[in-house]
Amino acid sequence: GFAVGVEHFNRDPSKGFEYLQSVQLLPKPLTASSVGAFLRHTPGLDKTILGEYLGEPDEFNVDVLKAFIKLFDVKELSLDLALRMFT
């Protein structure tokens, strides 16, 4: 399931999402919160591909970025430690 989806995502994010939807691990249609949670909690994602996906100016990608960032708890951290959570 997820391992195959990760492989697909690392080659082409849209193909990865299509696969994950086909095996019912992500909803149809995709939601920003479901994609954000997948990106935040799934090990093995290529960080470069992840960054490129989150950096797309498309409205949905921006919504995913917002959902992704909300999943990090940085309230009690110094700025440098908080920023390190994203690398």
Side-chain angles (χ1 to χ4, degrees):
F2 272 114
V4 174
V6 167
E7 289 178 28
H8 285 296
F9 177 87
N10 288 342
R11 285 189 299 257
D12 179 347
S14 63
K15 298 286 186 201
F17 296 141
E18 286 174 17
Y19 171 79
L20 291 164
Q21 288 176 304
S22 75
V23 295
Q24 300 174 348
L25 292 173
L26 283 178
K28 288 182 185 180
L30 287 174
T31 64
S33 61
S34 67
V35 174
F38 168 78
L39 298 177
R40 171 68 175 102
H41 299 295
T42 305
L45 297 176
D46 182 294
K47 289 184 180 184
T48 300
I49 301 296
L50 175 62
E52 289 173 0
Y53 180 81
L54 292 174
E56 286 288 322
D58 177 76
E59 183 179 350
F60 182 75
N61 294 59
V62 172
D63 290 343
V64 170
L65 175 60
K66 290 175 185 177
F68 177 77
I69 289 172
K70 286 180 183 178
L71 296 171
F72 289 85
D73 183 9
V74 297
K75 292 180 193 118
E76 303 294 324
L77 299 178
S78 64
L79 178 61
D80 62 327
L81 289 176
L83 290 173
R84 287 186 190 138
M85 290 185 73
F86 293 95
T87 60

